[in-house]
Amino acid sequence: MSIYKQETSTLSNAKIRVLNASPDTPSVDFYVNGSLVVKGLKYKSFTEYANAEPGIYTVTTTPSGTNSEILVTEDIELLPGLIYTIVIAGLNPALTIELISDTPSPNTDKSMSYMRYINLSPYSTEFDVLMNGKIVAPNLFYLDVTDYVEMYPGNYKMDLVNVDDEKIAMTNPNVKVTAGKHYACYIVGIENTKTGLQVLLPLEGTTYIK
């Protein structure tokens, strides 16, 4: 059974996308129950959301173009009506598959913006995330996922501060958020390495998937 369905989404379906967040892993192919569903997914790249039937699936990643070397394989469970990001995380050869679901508050104010923070920087010390100098996500460890944080629409300066030495590890001077939308801040890469730290700021599916 394929995890992807092309028909119109219904409440009985789940929605999924895949993110390659492993900084030292080549482009990967992504298999579900032995069938190739994503080909050549590069580091920091997302797929589009797709429909999926609820159920338990075996997901496997291999280096792109070959199925002879398994990088990681795990079972995941998708529940009806939920929206997920499936993340290839960690460093080779200790990769993991992380399943992250959108869980917005039912009482969201459409005049406000919302962002949650997800630390995918492998084995780093924890970070404080600051917006315009205010801590919005303290002590964020590897694989931590925060709730959505309400914020006014507009432009922000984002800083990641290493909790151990209290120094700024990364700055993004122009983070723009729009009223009524949900965002995710995925922290990827490794501090003080060639890849460095970066943030990915996609819209969450809960913004536009009904």
Side-chain angles (χ1 to χ4, degrees), residues 29 56 61 73 148 162 188 197:
D29 293 342
I56 297 175
T61 62
T73 185
Y148 289 98
N162 188 313
V188 299
L197 282 175

Side-chain angles (χ1 to χ4, degrees), residues 4 26 46 60 136 161 172 190:
Y4 286 132
F46 292 85
T60 303
V136 293
V161 175
N172 187 327
I190 304 174

